[in-house]
Amino acid sequence: MPKIYLVEDNFLHREYLFNQITKVLNQKKIFFDLVPVTNIPTFVRSLSKKTISDTDIFFLDIDLTSFLDGVQIGEIIRGYNANCFLIFVTAELNKGVDILNLRINPFAYIIKENNSITTVYSQLLQTFDDIVANLNPVSDDKNISVTSRGQMYIFKESDINYIQTIEGNRYSTLFKLINDEIVLGSTIAKLKKSLDSTNLFTGLKSTIINVSNIQEIYRKESLIIFKNEDSLVLTPRLIDKVQSFITNRKFS
C-alpha cells in the first residue's frame, strides 16, 4: 500500500502536518497509509530497497534536531529508491542549493513562511495535485488507480503480486502486494475492464496475476512462488493457463 511518512521531530508541527495532509487526502478522495515517524533513528535503520516503493511519499523537515537532518535522511532514501517522492519542509530556501548539489532530486518543497507551519495547506493542495498527475501520466501504464468506496488508491504495478476475489464476498478483492496487502471494495470483473498491461494475466475467473513477479511455478504442487517468496495456490489446470500466457507473452 502506498505510504506517506512524516519525518518531523517537532511534535506540534508533526501533528499539524498530519491533520492537514489528512484533510487534503479526504478532500481529493485519494488514499495513502499516513505514517507519523516518532522514532527517527529506528525509522532510518528500517529503510531499504525492499521497504520503499516508487509510490511512497516522504515529508522531511530539513532542520531536524535528530542525529541526522532531513537532507541527510533524504540522501539515504534516494540511495535506496530513485523514484519515490521526497518533499522537504523548511523555513530556509537557501537549503535548496545543498540539496541540488547532492542530487537528491526532491519532488517539492513546503515552505514555512515566517517559520510558521500554519501556512502550508494551499501548498499541500498543489503538491498532491502534482503527485496524482505524476502517478497517472496519460501514456504510462506502470501505475494502477482503483476507486473503492469513493476513494482513489494508487499502486505501482510492480508492487502487485496478485489480485483475488475474497471468498464468500465477490464484491471485495484482496490486493496482495510485495510488502503489504489490502482489501478493496471492487469486483474482479470491474478491475479486468480497467487494466491494460502485458504483465497482468486476467484470464482467470477470480484472480489477476502479475506474471513479471513470478519466481517459480510448480504445477504438480499447484503452487506459484513470487519473487518475494509469497505463494499462490492454483489448480494444475489454472496453472497451465498462466504458463500459456507467459509463453505467448515472450513471443509476442
Side-chain angles (χ1 to χ4, degrees), residues 73-87:
I73 294 175
E75 191 174 11
I76 292 170
I77 293 169
R78 193 53 86 215
Y80 290 126
N81 187 293
N83 301 314
C84 63
F85 298 89
L86 297 184
I87 300 168

Side-chain angles (χ1 to χ4, degrees), residues 11-54:
F11 169 77
L12 293 177
H13 286 191
R14 185 172 66 242
E15 184 176 43
Y16 182 82
L17 267 177
F18 182 93
N19 291 335
Q20 295 303 300
I21 291 173
T22 300
K23 183 179 176 182
V24 171
L25 293 176
N26 289 337
Q27 178 179 329
K28 296 189 174 298
K29 301 185 186 307
I30 55 178
F31 184 86
F32 283 82
D33 185 10
L34 186 52
V35 182
V37 175
T38 56
N39 188 321
I40 294 175
T42 299
F43 166 75
V44 172
R45 286 193 292 269
S46 73
L47 295 172
S48 70
K49 287 184 178 180
K50 289 186 176 181
T51 59
I52 303 174
S53 169
D54 287 357

Side-chain angles (χ1 to χ4, degrees), residues 141 143-146 157 160 163 175 188-198 200-202 208-209:
D141 62 356
N143 297 300
I144 295 172
S145 299
V146 180
E157 181 186 286
I160 299 173
I163 306 168
F175 281 69
I188 284 287
K190 183 178 178 181
L191 288 171
K192 287 179 180 179
K193 291 178 181 178
S194 65
L195 298 177
D196 181 20
S197 170
T198 57
L200 299 177
F201 176 49
T202 60
I208 298 170
I209 301 173

Side-chain angles (χ1 to χ4, degrees), residues 7-249:
V7 185
E8 165 67 80
D9 56 2
N10 182 307
F11 169 77
L12 293 177
H13 286 191
R14 185 172 66 242
E15 184 176 43
Y16 182 82
L17 267 177
F18 182 93
N19 291 335
Q20 295 303 300
I21 291 173
T22 300
K23 183 179 176 182
V24 171
L25 293 176
N26 289 337
Q27 178 179 329
K28 296 189 174 298
K29 301 185 186 307
I30 55 178
F31 184 86
F32 283 82
D33 185 10
L34 186 52
V35 182
V37 175
T38 56
N39 188 321
I40 294 175
T42 299
F43 166 75
V44 172
R45 286 193 292 269
S46 73
L47 295 172
S48 70
K49 287 184 178 180
K50 289 186 176 181
T51 59
I52 303 174
S53 169
D54 287 357
T55 54
D56 286 341
I57 303 169
F58 297 83
F59 283 86
L60 303 169
D61 185 358
I62 287 181
D63 303 308
L64 296 173
T65 57
S66 177
F67 72 121
L68 295 173
D69 63 29
V71 176
Q72 291 170 310
I73 294 175
E75 191 174 11
I76 292 170
I77 293 169
R78 193 53 86 215
Y80 290 126
N81 187 293
N83 301 314
C84 63
F85 298 89
L86 297 184
I87 300 168
F88 288 104
V89 183
T90 182
E92 300 182 48
L93 289 173
N94 62 335
K95 291 291 182 70
V97 176
D98 297 333
I99 295 169
L100 288 173
N101 289 338
L102 290 169
R103 298 183 180 179
I104 297 174
N105 299 323
F107 184 78
Y109 294 90
I110 299 297
I111 307 301
K112 303 177 188 177
E113 296 179 10
N114 300 319
N115 206 31
S116 172
I117 194 68
T118 59
T119 61
V120 306
Y121 181 70
S122 61
Q123 298 176 67
L124 287 172
L125 284 172
Q126 183 60 57
T127 297
F128 276 97
D129 279 342
D130 294 341
I131 287 172
V132 171
N134 191 274
L135 286 172
N136 290 290
V138 173
S139 60
D140 190 7
D141 62 356
K142 293 184 179 180
N143 297 300
I144 295 172
S145 299
V146 180
T147 300
S148 173
R149 299 180 179 93
Q151 285 190 312
M152 182 170 63
Y153 297 73
I154 301 173
F155 302 98
K156 193 74 176 176
E157 181 186 286
S158 58
D159 287 341
I160 299 173
N161 281 341
Y162 63 88
I163 306 168
Q164 193 168 54
T165 299
I166 299 294
E167 187 174 357
N169 185 357
R170 64 188 182 91
Y171 296 104
S172 294
T173 52
L174 169 68
F175 281 69
K176 191 68 173 180
L177 311 175
I178 290 176
N179 295 316
D180 205 352
E181 62 180 49
I182 183 173
V183 175
L184 298 182
S186 183
T187 66
I188 284 287
K190 183 178 178 181
L191 288 171
K192 287 179 180 179
K193 291 178 181 178
S194 65
L195 298 177
D196 181 20
S197 170
T198 57
N199 295 323
L200 299 177
F201 176 49
T202 60
L204 305 181
K205 181 178 179 181
S206 60
T207 308
I208 298 170
I209 301 173
N210 186 352
V211 297
S212 65
N213 281 351
I214 291 177
Q215 182 71 39
E216 299 284 350
I217 296 179
Y218 299 99
R219 186 182 186 279
K220 289 184 179 179
E221 290 80 7
S222 302
L223 204 61
I224 292 177
I225 305 297
F226 294 92
K227 293 176 182 178
N228 68 336
E229 299 184 354
D230 276 353
S231 62
L232 174 64
V233 177
L234 293 176
T235 66
R237 182 177 66 84
L238 296 183
I239 284 181
D240 287 344
K241 290 186 176 182
V242 176
Q243 289 182 313
S244 176
F245 174 81
I246 293 172
T247 301
N248 292 334
R249 175 172 168 264

